[in-house]
């Protein structure tokens, strides 16, 4: 199953990424965990994650996955 890394954002929330890299350095922190594609596509998780990311002004997802880009990109 496909997994995505969670990149810490100043200890407040996280950004979902395909890989933790220096790309988008302002949103790239330490890796704090992983989630499966099934978990990041859960309807309740999507709503809560989008709301938190909007609050902190950070992207929900950075990567190349087509399904996640459709859901998390504005």
């Amino acid at each position: 199953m496909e997994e995505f890394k969670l990149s810490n954002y100043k200890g407040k929330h996280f950004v979902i990424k395909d890989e933790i890299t220096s790309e988008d350095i302002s949103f790239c922190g330490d890796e704090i965990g992983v989630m499966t594609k099934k978990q990041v596509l859960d309807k309740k998780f999507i709503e809560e994650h989008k709301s938190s990311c909007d609050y902190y002004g950070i992207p929900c997802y950075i990567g190349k996955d087509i399904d996640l880009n459709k859901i998390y990109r504005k």
Side-chain angles (χ1 to χ4, degrees):
M1 177 155 280
E2 207 170 349
E3 289 187 337
F4 298 91
K5 296 176 180 9
L6 309 179
S7 181
N8 182 31
Y9 175 71
K10 299 183 181 181
K12 298 176 182 173
H13 199 59
F14 58 89
V15 176
I16 301 168
K17 296 186 80 174
D18 291 337
E19 311 180 7
I20 304 299
T21 64
S22 58
E23 174 188 324
D24 297 304
I25 194 73
S26 59
F27 304 114
C28 186
D30 298 329
E31 182 180 332
I32 59 170
V34 295
M35 292 182 79
T36 64
K37 189 166 184 173
K38 182 178 180 179
Q39 290 172 312
V40 298
L41 292 177
D42 177 73
K43 186 175 181 169
K44 184 175 180 179
F45 173 79
I46 291 169
E47 292 171 9
E48 291 174 3
H49 186 58
K50 282 180 145 183
S51 176
S52 295
C53 289
D54 284 345
Y55 178 79
Y56 290 111
I58 60 174
C60 296
Y61 169 71
I62 299 171
K64 298 176 182 157
D65 186 275
I66 294 169
D67 297 327
L68 270 58
N69 276 316
K70 285 179 185 177
I71 292 168
Y72 289 113
R73 299 279 174 152
K74 291 182 180 181

